[in-house]
Amino acid sequence: MKIHGRSIVLIGMMGAGKSSVGRCLERRTGLTLLDTDEIVSSKFGMSIPEIFAKHGETKFREAEAKAVRAMAIPKKTIIVTGGGIVLQQENVELLRRMGVIVWLDGNEDTLFARASRRRNRPLLQTKNPRRTFSQIFDARRSLYADIADVRVDTSVLTDEEVSVAILSKLGKVNPGSRSPSPAT
Ligand code: S3P
């Protein structure tokens, strides 16, 4: 399977702003936006919390991986992923082949505040969502760091500022290098 182009792939924790930054990038670049959560949601015809409640996380993860496979098209796009995309090695390998991986990172408290603004994160529907978030954050950070070509700290930036930072970093990124650039 030959996968062309250098799509822009957004990864990172819930609350990092991947969907809204993706929309800013879509507007600024004119590229098509593909969002794994949206694809999975429309496949099931229900919201992400409903999928988790009715079918469970395993079925969600299977559909998420299927959505990533379907994105391996010869077209440069903006790819927005769910926070757990890095949990499956197959996803990681495909995404790396599709494009430059941009990790939207941030201060843990800020990310949690954003992620818990709406009750649409099934993984945070626990007795102690703050602690759950912390556990997920700790478990995922090294996975994001391993796959990222570029890292942007979104803590004090607006979505538009993040998208400008990404485009400016991508102007400088060396396609052969896989180590994330420090956030500015
Ligand atoms: C998840 C993140 C969510 C969504 C699902 C699982 C995760 O997407 O895919 O609730 O495992 O971190 P966002 O990162 O857009 O919130």
Side-chain angles (χ1 to χ4, degrees):
M1 180 174 34
K2 192 163 160 55
I3 300 167
H4 302 262
R6 302 291 291 160
S7 290
I8 301 176
V9 182
L10 302 182
I11 63 162
M13 279 294 284
M14 298 171 257
K18 301 178 297 287
S19 303
S20 23
V21 169
R23 284 192 294 273
C24 294
L25 289 172
E26 177 187 32
R27 215 172 38 245
R28 284 176 180 276
T29 62
L31 296 175
T32 302
L33 176 85
L34 300 172
D35 182 320
T36 58
D37 277 354
E38 277 177 15
I39 293 169
V40 172
S41 187
S42 72
K43 205 91 200 158
F44 281 88
M46 59 183 87
S47 70
I48 303 290
E50 285 169 338
I51 298 169
F52 271 69
K54 294 206 174 112
H55 301 281
E57 182 173 351
T58 305
K59 286 276 177 250
F60 170 81
R61 297 292 174 207
E62 283 170 17
E64 189 179 45
K66 209 169 166 190
V68 174
R69 268 178 243 135
M71 286 174 175
I73 51 169
K75 188 177 173 195
K76 190 172 164 175
T77 52
I78 308 288
I79 296 176
V80 171
T81 62
I85 210 79
V86 290
L87 297 175
Q88 297 185 78
Q89 190 55 29
E90 182 200 344
N91 295 342
V92 168
E93 282 163 18
L94 280 172
L95 292 170
R96 290 181 91 152
R97 291 168 65 193
M98 286 178 212
V100 60
I101 311 281
V102 179
W103 172 22
L104 300 190
D105 195 18
N107 161 289
E108 186 181 327
D109 285 329
T110 307
L111 295 179
F112 175 71
R114 290 189 201 142
S116 49
R117 235 173 254 157
R118 289 189 292 145
R119 291 177 58 85
N120 63 345
R121 264 72 185 218
L123 294 182
L124 298 183
Q125 305 311 309
T126 63
K127 263 195 194 146
N128 188 339
R130 182 68 190 83
R131 193 168 61 204
T132 305
F133 189 85
S134 200
Q135 286 162 350
I136 298 175
F137 187 80
D138 289 347
R140 299 245 181 104
R141 280 196 100 247
S142 65
L143 301 177
Y144 297 134
D146 281 351
I147 172 181
D149 294 300
V150 170
R151 171 180 167 269
V152 177
D153 188 331
T154 67
S155 309
V156 296
L157 300 180
T158 64
D159 298 331
E160 287 296 345
E161 286 168 341
V162 173
S163 65
V164 169
I166 291 170
L167 294 173
S168 104
K169 279 167 187 269
L170 294 192
K172 293 174 203 144
V173 86
N174 168 6
S177 152
R178 301 221 69 99
S179 51
S181 317
T184 49

